[in-house]
Amino acid sequence: MSVWKLASITAMAMLLLAGCGREAPEAALESAARTLQESIENRDTAALLAQIHPDFRANQNLDREWLRRTAALMFLRHRNVRVLALSSDSWLDTSYTSKGHSEAQVALTGAQGLVPERVGHYSVRLEWWLEDGEWLLARLDWD
């Protein structure tokens, strides 16, 4: 089931696409989320890992290596992964300008062809850190 948990990252792109006319840091965060979604949907592990902070943690105890292995497994199992954001909210941290947050309820599907073989529902919380002008995913938690 952890394969599906990685796919919840894709929700970020869905969450942040709606913002128009936002300030530059939020626009950059939205762009990072779109790129992250593209790397997952294109099954590009290298591009995915390029957007993950070196100190990445998922559910407090999983690291970048777990993410790499999980992504590789997901990409081998499913030719198509789609994410539907049922509700979402994202914002910049008011205390730390180098942090952004998102929360969403997402439905995830995976398939070898057109008909989904797996469907899951998750509540995801993401934290992005601004490093050298780039937003990197640093924390991921889900229920």
Side-chain angles (χ1 to χ4, degrees), residues 73-137:
L73 180 61
M74 179 178 67
F75 299 158
L76 286 172
R77 284 186 180 173
H78 301 287
R79 193 167 27 135
N80 298 309
V81 176
R82 298 291 177 248
V83 178
L84 173 62
L86 305 172
S87 67
S88 63
D89 187 24
S90 59
W91 65 95
L92 295 177
D93 194 305
T94 57
S95 299
Y96 301 96
T97 58
S98 62
K99 288 188 180 184
H101 303 273
S102 295
E103 293 182 354
Q105 297 292 318
V106 296
L108 305 171
T109 65
Q112 284 299 92
L114 296 175
V115 178
E117 298 164 357
R118 301 276 314 235
V119 177
H121 176 264
Y122 301 94
S123 175
V124 295
R125 292 167 304 287
L126 300 103
E127 182 176 308
W128 296 82
W129 294 354
L130 188 61
E131 295 275 330
D132 298 323
E134 290 187 53
W135 287 105
L136 301 176
L137 185 61

Side-chain angles (χ1 to χ4, degrees), residues 21-115:
R22 292 189 177 171
E23 302 167 20
E26 281 189 69
L29 184 59
E30 291 172 7
S31 177
R34 282 190 299 273
T35 302
L36 189 65
Q37 177 187 14
E38 291 168 5
S39 66
I40 292 172
E41 290 184 348
N42 292 332
R43 300 173 16 193
D44 187 343
T45 305
L48 173 64
L49 291 175
Q51 286 194 273
I52 305 301
H53 194 277
D55 294 328
F56 173 83
R57 290 289 178 260
N59 277 355
Q60 300 179 358
N61 63 347
L62 304 169
D63 60 9
R64 281 177 56 95
E65 180 58 23
W66 169 85
L67 180 70
R68 186 197 61 74
R69 288 190 319 265
T70 302
L73 180 61
M74 179 178 67
F75 299 158
L76 286 172
R77 284 186 180 173
H78 301 287
R79 193 167 27 135
N80 298 309
V81 176
R82 298 291 177 248
V83 178
L84 173 62
L86 305 172
S87 67
S88 63
D89 187 24
S90 59
W91 65 95
L92 295 177
D93 194 305
T94 57
S95 299
Y96 301 96
T97 58
S98 62
K99 288 188 180 184
H101 303 273
S102 295
E103 293 182 354
Q105 297 292 318
V106 296
L108 305 171
T109 65
Q112 284 299 92
L114 296 175
V115 178

